[in-house]
Every structure is written in C-alpha cells, then in structure tokens.
Amino acid sequence: MNYPYQLSLHRYKLTFQLPENMDNQNFFGSKLRGILGAVLKETNPDVLKHLYERQALPKNHPASVHIGVTHSPSPFIISRIFPKEFQPSQISFVLTLLGDYHQYFINIYQAFENLEILENESKAIKFIGMEKLNCLETGQLIHHYQDIVAFSENIDTTSVTLLFKSPFILADKNKMPIADFSFQTIIKNLHRRLALLSTIFGQATTDIEEWESENLNQQVQLSHIQLTPKKISREPSGKNSYSKNAYIGQLSYVGALESYLPLFIIGQYIHIGADTAFGLGKYKLKY
C-alpha cells in the first residue's frame, strides 16, 4: 500500500524537580498529563479544551468510514524518559505535539511554570528546564514524515529491532487486546496510527484503508521475540482506577524491509498501540 502520509511533529524535553517524599519511580506520563490539565483548567480553559477534549468525527470522515474511529486522537503525547542512572528527585519527559498543535507549546510551558496554583502535592513540583529535540535521523527540529522517507532511501537493511522503552498494548479493530506480534500486525498498527494522524492533524486527503491486501509475513518474518507481560494501572482524576495487560521487551524482524523503514522510524515518535497519549508504545528502532 502506498498511502500518502503527511504529518509533521515537534518534540520537547521537559525536566522537573520532585519533592524528596514524592515517588519518582511511579511518576509516569499519565500523571504529568493530569497535572497539566489541572493547571490549564484554572489558567487557560480554552487551551484545555483544544488539547484535552476529544472531538467527535463526522460520520463521513475517512477514519470513521474505513477504520471505525469515532473521535479524534490526542494531539499530544507525554512519555517518561528513564535514564540509565536515576537521580532521586529529578525526572524528564518528552512532549510530542502533532501537526499545528505545536502552537500551544507556549501555553503548556506557562502552565508548567505555574504549578504552585494547584492545591495538592503537585504544587511542590518545580519545572526546571526545557530543550527542543531534533529528529534523530534528519537533524531537523520539525519532524516531517517526508524527510524521513528521503533519509530512508539511503539505508539498505534486512533486519530491524524494536526496543520498547515503555509497555505497549496491541488491539484489534474491536479494541480487544491481542498477542499477535507478527510483522503484518505491527505494520498494520503503525499504518493505522500514522494514517489517522495524517488525516486529522496533517495534510493527507486520501481515504484511510486498512492494510489487508498483502500477506506481509511472507516478505518479513518475526526473527526474535523477548517480551514480558506487564500490568498497567491508572487512576484518572474523578474516575475509577483500572488496569490493562501490556508487554515490555523487544521484537526483531528480518526480510525485505526497505519500503517499511519510514513507518518504523516515525513510529518511534508517534508510538504504537493503545494509550499512546500517556506514553505507552514508545520504542527505539535498531537497524
């Protein structure tokens, strides 16, 4: 399938100082996302609406018609960085803003500088630094999919490995969890996510189609799997806590990979699977 993906994104590294009594190890993207929402609710409800309210898609929208998506995905991702050496009270995250939503970065920055407005323990967190991140492959501040395609044309590889930095959850079109890690399943998930983001936050106008016309597993095979089950628990503000079954580890594939490499590369930045807005499905690609 030659779908015309059209997407750009911006990434920022955000660093915070936590109080000594705050649990560093279990401070994930979902918690920081909730803190950001709480500050915006008090200081800038209009921006809160733009960033947090999932908009219903028209029934004739390509995503609704072809892949059954009824609401727009989150326009931003917050994922925790886990360094090799932990600092007891300092943590960093990567904030990824999709398409034109990078215009709201200044509002997000201001919100993190005003955490003292909160009335819970989060007010003691200090925002201590920001760094805009380049695309690892192109070196550009703006991560354009088409630039990644051009970069990939010079790479000749027959193997790739996905090293997951956060747990991931794969689901079928009915949102039921699956444990199928074949190449076809991974590519279909990456295609569905990138096509959806391209149509909603990018400039793609072609109807989204599920990637079902080819038996991709004949071209590329799963060569190594090293995954460990991991239970993900969340406690949304004002809602009941819940848990999901996820996996962490790595997956390797071998075969005719050249035409799929751009999808794997962009997947490092948009993540794969469910709950990507909270930082799940983050991986580093090795090839």
Side-chain angles (χ1 to χ4, degrees):
M1 179 183 294
N2 186 25
Y3 183 86
Y5 310 108
Q6 295 286 338
L7 182 69
S8 64
L9 55 91
H10 294 70
R11 294 188 305 136
Y12 303 84
K13 180 182 177 181
L14 309 174
T15 302
F16 300 84
Q17 191 79 26
L18 299 183
E20 292 183 1
N21 61 343
M22 192 171 284
D23 186 1
N24 184 341
Q25 296 293 327
N26 293 313
F27 200 105
F28 299 111
S30 57
K31 186 169 183 177
L32 187 66
R33 186 183 178 90
I35 291 172
L36 172 62
V39 177
L40 289 174
K41 183 177 180 180
E42 298 295 328
T43 62
N44 203 328
D46 287 340
V47 171
L48 174 72
K49 181 177 180 180
H50 285 299
L51 291 176
Y52 281 79
E53 286 191 13
R54 298 183 63 205
Q55 301 299 317
L57 299 177
K59 291 184 178 180
N60 62 349
H61 190 281
S64 299
V65 174
H66 297 285
I67 59 176
V69 176
T70 59
H71 289 75
S72 63
S74 173
F76 71 103
I77 303 165
I78 294 180
S79 57
R80 173 80 182 269
I81 299 175
F82 289 94
K84 292 181 180 179
E85 295 183 5
F86 283 100
Q87 298 188 41
S89 59
Q90 191 175 106
I91 57 173
S92 295
F93 295 82
V94 173
L95 167 70
T96 301
L97 290 163
L98 304 172
D100 292 337
Y101 278 79
H102 71 275
Q103 67 183 293
Y104 295 109
F105 176 74
I106 185 63
N107 304 108
I108 295 172
Y109 183 91
Q110 292 169 345
F112 284 134
E113 285 196 318
N114 287 282
L115 295 178
E116 70 277 1
I117 199 172
L118 299 177
E119 296 182 356
N120 54 30
E121 65 174 354
S122 298
K123 67 182 179 183
I125 300 170
K126 301 298 181 183
F127 179 42
I128 60 174
M130 181 277 290
E131 176 187 356
K132 190 164 186 183
L133 300 176
N134 292 344
C135 177
L136 297 175
E137 289 73 28
T138 68
Q140 302 298 314
L141 289 175
I142 303 177
H143 301 43
H144 281 296
Y145 176 74
Q146 291 303 322
D147 292 340
I148 289 174
V149 172
F151 166 84
S152 303
E153 290 175 352
N154 300 318
I155 298 176
D156 182 18
T157 184
T158 58
S159 66
V160 297
T161 297
L162 283 65
L163 305 168
F164 284 93
K165 300 300 182 180
S166 66
F168 71 100
I169 303 170
L170 298 182
D172 60 22
K173 62 176 59 179
N174 297 317
K175 298 184 179 180
M176 296 300 295
I178 60 174
D180 176 5
F181 308 111
S182 65
F183 177 72
Q184 181 157 312
T185 296
I186 295 296
I187 282 296
K188 286 173 63 176
N189 271 268
L190 285 172
H191 159 72
R192 185 186 299 121
R193 177 151 172 76
L194 181 54
L196 178 64
L197 299 182
S198 295
T199 303
I200 294 177
F201 303 121
Q203 293 78 46
T205 57
T206 302
D207 285 352
I208 300 173
E209 299 177 5
E210 287 281 16
W211 202 326
E212 296 177 340
S213 58
E214 304 173 68
N215 186 359
L216 301 180
N217 293 331
Q218 292 182 358
Q219 302 176 32
V220 181
Q221 293 80 43
L222 176 63
S223 61
H224 179 72
I225 179 170
Q226 185 180 336
L227 297 177
T228 301
K230 186 175 180 64
K231 189 172 288 291
I232 302 298
S233 299
R234 290 197 61 230
E235 298 180 2
S237 300
K239 299 180 181 179
N240 294 329
S241 61
Y242 66 88
S243 62
K244 293 183 177 181
N245 295 319
Y247 294 91
I248 191 74
Q250 62 184 60
L251 297 167
S252 298
Y253 301 91
V254 296
L257 285 158
E258 289 81 2
S259 60
Y260 307 107
L261 193 56
L263 264 177
F264 277 117
I265 291 175
I266 195 72
Q268 297 176 108
Y269 306 124
I270 62 173
H271 301 201
I272 186 173
D275 287 350
T276 52
F278 309 119
L280 296 190
K282 178 182 179 180
Y283 67 85
K284 180 180 179 181
L285 185 65
K286 181 180 179 181
Y287 51 85

